Amino acid sequence: QVQLVESGGGLVQPGGSLRLSCAASGRPLDRYAIGWFRQAPGKEREGVSSSSNSDGNSYYADSVQGRFTIYRDNSKNMVYLQMNSLKPEDTGVYYCAATRALMEHVGSVDEYDYWGQGTQVTVDS
């Protein structure tokens, strides 16, 4: 079993940047696909990005393509989400998630087995 803890959220102005971190413990991260999800008030949790454990690629939702970058440091058991050119619609609680299943897409909530507690991101002027 793997435990996940997110950090790095906060308040940022539109056009700004944040880097979210996801620290994993309990198991080596290299065997897991890692996803980042977000949930805005009153909305369902949606997939934002994933780092594959199958083909080594990264995947992004259309809404963040070109603005967000996911990358991992398996030696530190860490995964990061670099978010640039932030928009008010990026506001929400951001979660990292993990699965041993082979993933080659962002995936849905049901496809991930382990979740962190979330970190709040607010984009507002």
Side-chain angles (χ1 to χ4, degrees):
Q1 191 169 357
V2 62
Q3 292 80 43
L4 304 171
V5 178
E6 304 94 335
S7 61
L11 173 64
V12 63
Q13 292 186 341
S17 298
L18 280 176
R19 188 184 76 162
L20 305 183
S21 300
C22 175
S25 61
R27 290 289 186 273
L29 203 56
D30 57 349
R31 297 186 177 184
Y32 291 83
I34 302 297
W36 281 99
F37 288 74
R38 67 186 179 191
Q39 188 165 19
K43 295 188 176 181
E44 293 186 354
R45 196 171 297 187
E46 63 173 352
V48 172
S49 180
S50 71
S51 174
S52 175
N53 58 344
S54 173
D55 58 12
N57 291 333
S58 301
Y59 296 88
Y60 299 93
D62 290 344
S63 58
V64 306
Q65 181 75 48
R67 300 188 298 122
F68 290 12
T69 303
I70 187 172
Y71 58 102
R72 62 166 79 199
D73 185 340
N74 287 334
S75 67
K76 296 181 179 179
N77 253 23
M78 296 288 296
V79 180
Y80 305 94
L81 185 69
Q82 178 66 43
M83 305 187 297
N84 299 328
S85 302
L86 283 162
K87 305 175 181 180
E89 51 263 43
D90 294 319
T91 294
V93 179
Y94 281 70
Y95 301 87
C96 67
T99 178
R100 284 287 302 270
L102 297 180
M103 297 287 286
E104 296 181 359
H105 55 286
V106 175
S108 64
V109 170
D110 292 344
E111 294 181 273
Y112 289 83
D113 302 307
Y114 306 102
W115 292 83
Q117 84 289 346
T119 185
Q120 176 71 44
V121 172
T122 303
V123 184
D124 193 348
S125 56

